[in-house]
Amino acid sequence: MVLPRPYAVQLLLVAAILLCLPLFVLSSLGDKSIPFQNYLRKCLIANCSSQDKLMHFEEVQPHYMQLLGWNCKEECKYHSMWNTVHHFIKHKLEVPQFYGKWPFIRILGIQEPASVIFSVLNGLANIYMIWRMRQRIPKKAPMCNIWQGYAMIASVAWVFSTIFHARDVGWTEYLDYFAAFALTITGLWTACIRIFAYQRDSMNVKIAVPITLVLLCIYVRHVYYLAKIHFDYGYNMKVNVIVGICMSLLWVSWSLYRIKRQPYLWKTIATVIIGNLLVLLELMDFPPLLWTFDAHSLWHAGTSPMPLLFFSFCIDDSLYLLQYSEGFKKGV
């Protein structure tokens, strides 16, 4: 089957962009600075240099801090970070990042409290829309299972985001980054399936399978690179942005092409516009306001109501496809 010309051009554009994913490296200076190293060395000697000192530290430390992995060395890093921040402010210097992150005031051992709260809100919004879709969309409706599966992946991704922002350690970071990219690549997959693979009343397997395999290979390649070759924050961000741009181009161009027949497609256009405006926050990367609200947490805050809008489109679209499918079978 030959794809219509506009769709063929879109698919080729997506493939070309994804094959040219660039690499970029970020680094931080705070933990490498001389003041930080001096504070850290003094703290480690004073509190973590002998078994007796470690036992005393464990006796006085609250249990919830132990559960969150705040051992003696991590405590020294945290307090040395703030001593260094005060040093930089006192000397009227710009406050740098530490270990790739801005300084945050922790609450009850939670490392980034604002991002944790907003991640929970995002997860709850997706869970609510899963319930709404199950209430509104008949099981026989086209794309029903795909949209619900997408919302489930989103919910899991936000659970891992919550865990990661509560405590940034190696395994929580891996879970968050891999789940986030799974959500991004699944978003592109759902766009491709809906736009290219659904023909009249059913999915065209000959189109759906190659799309699925290509995007699965991209996901596996990305995870392998981060896990086995180099955990590169800049590379990860650029890949996610590029995949997001591909998804945005597909949704907007397709929605504009069909909006006269399907007026509800304004929801996809609005979702893309709002989402891309919010991404600008993620790219700004400024020091946290009140040492709590950084660009990343504000981005999470902005995205929390977006599932309500996007999955509202999914409900409308599945019902439209169901009506079209039933009309097609009846020969209407």
Side-chain angles (χ1 to χ4, degrees), residues 20-78:
C20 299
L21 297 176
L23 299 178
F24 186 74
V25 180
L26 294 178
S27 60
S28 58
L29 297 175
D31 54 285
K32 297 178 182 177
S33 66
I34 293 176
F36 177 83
Q37 293 296 328
N38 288 336
Y39 286 125
L40 180 60
R41 183 175 64 256
K42 290 177 183 178
C43 181
L44 291 173
I45 292 173
N47 299 284
C48 316
S49 57
S50 69
Q51 191 64 32
D52 290 340
K53 291 178 180 179
L54 286 172
M55 289 178 64
H56 175 71
F57 168 80
E58 292 174 358
E59 288 174 359
V60 299
Q61 187 188 38
H63 292 298
Y64 66 87
M65 296 288 283
Q66 295 177 13
L67 291 173
L68 288 170
W70 290 103
N71 57 33
C72 189
K73 183 178 180 180
E74 293 298 319
E75 279 290 314
C76 279
K77 286 182 179 180
Y78 178 78

Side-chain angles (χ1 to χ4, degrees), residues 122 125-126 129 267 270-276 278 299 301-312:
N122 274 275
N126 281 280
M129 290 311 294
K267 295 178 182 180
T271 301
V272 168
I273 292 173
I274 295 169
N276 281 282
L278 289 171
W299 175 59
T303 59
S304 58
M306 287 181 62
L308 307 180
L309 180 61
F310 180 76
F311 289 114
S312 174

Side-chain angles (χ1 to χ4, degrees), residues 51 97 143 202 304 331:
Q51 191 64 32
Q97 292 186 348
M143 295 288 294
S202 61
S304 58

Side-chain angles (χ1 to χ4, degrees), residues 18-320:
L18 291 175
L19 290 174
C20 299
L21 297 176
L23 299 178
F24 186 74
V25 180
L26 294 178
S27 60
S28 58
L29 297 175
D31 54 285
K32 297 178 182 177
S33 66
I34 293 176
F36 177 83
Q37 293 296 328
N38 288 336
Y39 286 125
L40 180 60
R41 183 175 64 256
K42 290 177 183 178
C43 181
L44 291 173
I45 292 173
N47 299 284
C48 316
S49 57
S50 69
Q51 191 64 32
D52 290 340
K53 291 178 180 179
L54 286 172
M55 289 178 64
H56 175 71
F57 168 80
E58 292 174 358
E59 288 174 359
V60 299
Q61 187 188 38
H63 292 298
Y64 66 87
M65 296 288 283
Q66 295 177 13
L67 291 173
L68 288 170
W70 290 103
N71 57 33
C72 189
K73 183 178 180 180
E74 293 298 319
E75 279 290 314
C76 279
K77 286 182 179 180
Y78 178 78
H79 292 290
S80 297
M81 175 187 71
W82 281 112
N83 287 333
T84 305
V85 168
H86 298 321
H87 173 88
F88 273 74
I89 293 174
K90 181 180 178 181
H91 292 84
K92 298 180 179 180
L93 300 172
E94 289 187 6
V95 176
Q97 292 186 348
F98 295 79
Y99 300 103
K101 301 173 77 71
W102 292 110
F104 291 96
I105 295 175
R106 69 187 182 191
I107 298 176
L108 297 176
I110 295 175
Q111 203 163 354
E112 299 175 47
S115 288
V116 167
I117 292 171
F118 297 139
S119 293
V120 169
L121 290 177
N122 274 275
L124 291 175
N126 281 280
I127 292 170
Y128 171 73
M129 290 311 294
I130 292 173
W131 176 79
R132 285 285 293 165
M133 285 189 284
R134 288 179 176 176
Q135 293 293 314
R136 294 284 310 280
I137 306 175
K139 292 182 179 180
K140 63 179 180 178
M143 295 288 294
C144 173
N145 293 330
I146 289 176
W147 292 134
Q148 290 187 34
Y150 181 37
M152 289 177 186
I153 291 173
S155 301
V156 172
W158 286 113
V159 168
F160 289 152
S161 174
T162 302
I163 294 171
F164 168 65
H165 290 300
R167 187 68 178 97
D168 178 3
V169 294
W171 66 272
T172 62
E173 186 175 47
Y174 273 56
L175 285 177
D176 178 55
Y177 278 63
F178 297 162
F181 188 59
L183 177 58
T184 304
I185 205 77
T186 304
L188 178 58
W189 177 77
T190 57
C192 291
I193 294 298
R194 175 63 184 92
I195 294 169
F196 301 118
Y198 257 92
Q199 306 292 330
R200 294 182 177 178
D201 62 332
S202 61
M203 183 189 297
N204 189 323
V205 177
K206 292 182 179 179
I207 296 176
V209 170
I211 290 173
T212 303
L213 291 176
V214 168
L215 294 181
L216 182 61
C217 288
I218 291 171
Y219 178 77
V220 171
R221 173 198 177 276
H222 181 68
V223 169
Y224 176 81
Y225 179 84
L226 292 178
K228 297 295 184 180
I229 299 177
H230 179 47
F231 199 89
D232 189 329
Y233 299 94
Y235 163 74
N236 179 72
M237 177 179 286
K238 283 205 168 188
V239 171
N240 277 276
V241 168
I242 289 171
V243 172
I245 289 173
C246 294
M247 179 173 59
S248 300
L249 289 173
L250 287 175
W251 278 129
V252 170
S253 58
W254 177 74
S255 297
L256 290 173
Y257 181 71
R258 301 182 63 92
I259 196 166
K260 289 184 178 180
R261 283 174 287 178
Q262 298 160 247
Y264 61 85
L265 290 177
W266 70 267
K267 295 178 182 180
T268 58
I269 298 172
T271 301
V272 168
I273 292 173
I274 295 169
N276 281 282
L277 288 175
L278 289 171
V279 167
L280 296 178
L281 278 173
E282 183 73 354
L283 299 177
M284 286 179 186
D285 198 27
F286 51 80
L289 304 172
L290 304 176
W291 302 115
T292 302
F293 302 97
D294 69 329
H296 188 74
S297 67
L298 294 178
W299 175 59
H300 284 340
T303 59
S304 58
M306 287 181 62
L308 307 180
L309 180 61
F310 180 76
F311 289 114
S312 174
F313 146 74
C314 297
I315 293 171
D316 292 340
D317 193 56
S318 287
L319 294 176
Y320 169 83

